[in-house]
Amino acid sequence: MIDDLPRNRANFVPLTPVSFLERAALVYPDKVAVRHGRLAYTYREFEARARRLAAALAQRGIARGDTVAVMAPNVPALLEAHYAVPALGAVLNPLNVRLDAASVAFCLEHGGARVLITDAEFAPVVKAALARLATPPLVVDIDDGEGPAGERLGVLRYEDLLAEGDPNFAWPGPVDEWDALALLYTSGTTGDPKGVVYHHRGAFLNALGNALAMRMGPDSVYLWTLPMFHCCGWTFTWAVTAVAATHVCLRRVDPAPVFQAIVDHRVTHLCGAPIVLTLLIHAPADAKRRFDHVVDVATGGAAPPSTVIAAMEALGFRVTHLYGLTESYGPATICAFQESWHDLDLVARAREMARQGVPIATLAAMQVGDPDTSEPVPRDGTTLGEVMLRSNTIMKGYLRNDAATARAFAHGWYHSGDLAVWHSDNYIEIKDRSKDIIITGGENVSSLEVEECLYRHPAVMEAAVVARPDAKWGETPCAFVSLKPGASDVTAQAIIEHCRANLAHFKAPKTVLFGPLPKTATGKIQKFVLRQTARGLEGNR
């Protein structure tokens, strides 16, 4: 029979995004691969540095299945780790640099990190996190001279670690493309961090899907305004290299260096949460620069309103709306632009462009389905259902959390928790988040986690947290608090400071309102009422 033909080493090789770097160095060895401040190095040098890192880690005992964590902004060390660590068959754990010490400690312990590569900028948080661990990992300091000085916490510097390695090291790569490649932590909707596990096959495919979706090629220049720790940079850490484009690293997102980089390096692509678009639009006049080419911007999270799209177009940017989750390696759908939309006025065109869209080329299937049965809803633009995905580009599961994994994969679909309608043109449009996630500056905040913190304040009797629209951050946490008798002198600022002292600062409420909370007949707090109140607050735009 035809299908009895065997698989062998000649006709089957495990897919891995590590191969993108090998090819780029082979085909374009002298092309600039990475820029960072005054630094620029070629694809030949990029590969040699990644091989040195892999070799040095191997010499220090890192083997297949071990976890290597990195706490860093968008610097070359984090980019290099996206190749060196998976090339060993080890697991990369990029940490959210906005987390507090307790959360960092949890991630290091739960993920079993054996090495932590950390930037000096985050020394205070990392030092406090390490103090919480019974068995701290080997710590390596990044001190590239481009960032603020910080305390040295490790036994050696990153460049010293690379000097230990062989630039010609023959890394083993994955045994199977299903092997774990990366571990990403998301707070999800319960406040308890979940460890999302990626595999090599999914990373390879999603990277290619993104490159296709954003029309990238060898002449592209990608500016790192999206955190690499977020879904491995939406897999653009690999997509840019797959097409042998140039990575331009950026420590922090400020308008002046973004515009300057676009002009200096002729940047063609960047990604970011809506806050990045807002920063660029409202940048001071002396920070803005004119450029003579179109820059493609991919954004996710809150849909860009017509005013944002118009303002970005006026500056020379072309906005594309993507949708995805950590569990789907970042982008899973794209609001693919239709030629007929050119004939629409700005408001109508923005309405079409703000939808979450259709599958990217490497997503196997998408539907809006009944949350309980997973049966698809009618494509009528009005029937509400849950966004469900099925693909090779979906996570392996949650680390050491079988129950959450089983719930996520019920009926053979990944359940996103996002409620949407399905239009007759096959585009989906999200209407609400079923589990009350607040997305602030591109980061997920669990309302339950913030509520738990509020309840720990001695004056708080009841609390509920919802999203309040925010012109800068997209959304911010808004707390509704009922105080205990005799505690009427407690101020909103005191409540905010309590949360800031016990949570990562971006999770703390920006708004606190006092009074009785609306409830159902059974005593359940009516969050939909609170959301309406938050949306109607003065100052929302």
Side-chain angles (χ1 to χ4, degrees):
M1 294 178 63
I2 292 178
D3 59 2
D4 284 342
L5 293 170
R7 185 170 71 179
N8 58 67
R9 291 177 60 192
N11 64 20
F12 180 83
V13 178
L15 299 178
T16 174
V18 176
S19 65
F20 298 148
L21 179 55
E22 296 171 334
R23 177 187 179 274
L26 179 72
V27 181
Y28 301 99
D30 299 318
K31 180 180 180 181
V32 173
V34 180
R35 295 188 184 275
H36 179 50
R38 293 161 293 183
L39 172 72
Y41 56 84
T42 65
Y43 267 108
R44 178 189 287 112
E45 293 167 318
F46 185 6
E47 183 190 36
R49 288 176 63 85
R51 289 188 184 276
R52 283 186 182 276
L53 177 55
L57 290 172
Q59 289 171 189
R60 287 180 173 266
I62 300 304
R64 193 173 305 281
D66 289 336
T67 300
V68 176
V70 184
M71 179 82 161
N74 290 345
V75 295
L78 179 51
L79 181 61
E80 290 159 3
H82 274 80
Y83 294 89
V85 176
L88 287 175
V91 181
L92 177 67
N93 177 206
L95 296 169
N96 185 335
V97 299
R98 299 175 69 186
L99 292 178
D100 55 16
S103 298
V104 172
F106 173 87
C107 295
L108 293 173
E109 185 171 36
H110 186 262
R114 292 194 56 199
V115 175
L116 170 62
I117 301 172
T118 179
D119 192 276
E121 182 177 349
F122 309 108
V125 170
V126 172
K127 183 177 182 179
L130 293 172
R132 293 170 173 259
L133 301 179
T135 307
L138 171 72
V139 178
V140 178
D141 292 302
I142 301 171
D143 186 6
D144 58 12
E146 296 288 341
E151 181 181 357
R152 291 271 303 272
L153 303 176
V155 297
L156 75 167
R157 294 173 62 252
Y158 180 76
E159 293 298 328
D160 296 331
L161 178 65
L162 260 61
E164 297 178 359
D166 179 0
N168 298 307
F169 175 65
W171 48 37
V175 172
D176 189 294
E177 57 190 26
W178 182 250
D179 287 352
L181 173 146
L183 173 64
L184 291 305
Y185 280 94
T186 173
S187 61
T189 58
T190 65
D192 297 324
K194 295 188 184 73
V196 176
V197 180
Y198 287 176
H199 49 78
H200 287 253
R201 180 180 179 85
F204 179 98
L205 292 171
N206 213 67
L208 293 182
N210 280 328
L212 285 170
M214 295 306 296
R215 303 172 293 277
M216 298 181 73
D219 295 331
S220 298
V221 179
Y222 183 89
L223 181 62
W224 275 104
T225 50
L226 177 80
M228 290 185 199
F229 66 71
H230 185 39
C231 310
C232 289
W234 291 359
T235 70
F236 278 92
T237 46
W238 302 301
V240 176
T241 303
V243 296
T246 299
H247 299 263
V248 179
C249 294
L250 196 63
R251 261 191 172 268
R252 59 179 53 83
V253 181
D254 289 320
V258 169
F259 278 106
Q260 196 62 54
I262 292 172
V263 173
D264 291 347
H265 306 304
R266 200 170 178 81
V267 168
T268 61
H269 291 80
L270 59 89
C271 299
I275 184 176
V276 174
L277 279 58
T278 302
L279 283 172
L280 298 179
I281 291 169
H282 298 290
D286 60 356
K288 292 180 178 177
R289 297 287 184 273
R290 300 295 302 179
F291 43 91
D292 60 2
H293 64 286
V294 175
V295 178
D296 278 298
V297 180
T299 190
S306 59
T307 53
V308 169
I309 292 174
M312 289 295 287
E313 289 181 352
L315 289 174
F317 297 94
R318 178 168 53 201
V319 179
T320 298
H321 188 211
L322 303 172
Y323 164 77
L325 310 96
T326 302
E327 290 86 344
S328 64
Y329 296 71
T333 73
I334 178 173
C335 193
F337 195 89
Q338 301 290 335
E339 287 299 315
S340 60
W341 297 354
H342 284 298
D343 299 328
L344 302 174
D345 61 43
L346 176 62
V347 173
R349 179 158 51 90
R351 187 181 304 118
E352 299 294 335
M353 293 173 65
R355 296 181 298 172
Q356 282 62 41
V358 292
I360 65 172
T362 47
L363 185 79
M366 171 205 75
Q367 71 168 20
V368 179
D370 183 290
D372 296 322
T373 66
S374 296
E375 289 298 315
V377 303
R379 304 186 193 195
D380 56 11
T382 58
T383 304
L384 203 62
E386 184 180 13
V387 178
M388 300 178 187
L389 308 173
R390 177 184 291 158
S391 185
N392 295 291
T393 55
I394 300 297
M395 65 171 180
K396 288 173 69 99
Y398 297 113
L399 180 65
R400 291 198 287 275
N401 196 335
D402 293 343
T405 300
R407 287 194 298 270
F409 293 152
H411 305 113
W413 288 92
Y414 168 68
H415 291 249
S416 71
D418 290 323
L419 300 179
V421 296
W422 210 351
H423 291 277
S424 59
D425 63 358
N426 301 314
Y427 283 59
I428 65 168
E429 181 181 3
I430 291 178
K431 293 296 185 179
D432 202 358
R433 285 180 288 278
S434 63
K435 298 176 182 177
D436 301 316
I437 294 175
I438 300 164
I439 302 178
T440 179
E443 301 289 343
N444 287 359
V445 176
S446 164
S447 62
L448 298 181
E449 181 182 12
V450 183
E451 288 164 7
E452 181 181 4
C453 181
L454 288 166
Y455 274 109
R456 291 200 296 268
H457 191 287
V460 172
M461 182 170 63
E462 292 181 316
V465 176
V466 298
R468 176 184 177 182
D470 186 272
K472 178 179 181 181
W473 299 104
E475 296 175 343
T476 58
C478 179
F480 291 82
V481 174
S482 177
L483 296 172
K484 295 177 181 177
S488 58
D489 60 338
V490 174
T491 65
Q493 190 59 37
I495 296 293
I496 292 172
E497 291 301 324
H498 164 77
C499 291
R500 287 173 65 88
N502 293 279
L503 296 169
H505 287 187
F506 72 91
K507 296 182 180 181
K510 300 294 187 295
T511 309
V512 178
L513 300 177
F514 296 102
L517 305 183
K519 298 184 180 71
T520 66
T522 58
K524 184 178 180 180
I525 295 174
Q526 295 176 308
K527 280 199 169 183
F528 74 94
V529 175
L530 299 181
R531 279 194 288 268
Q532 291 172 351
T533 301
R535 289 170 185 153
L537 291 175
E538 184 177 351
N540 289 345
R541 288 185 289 153

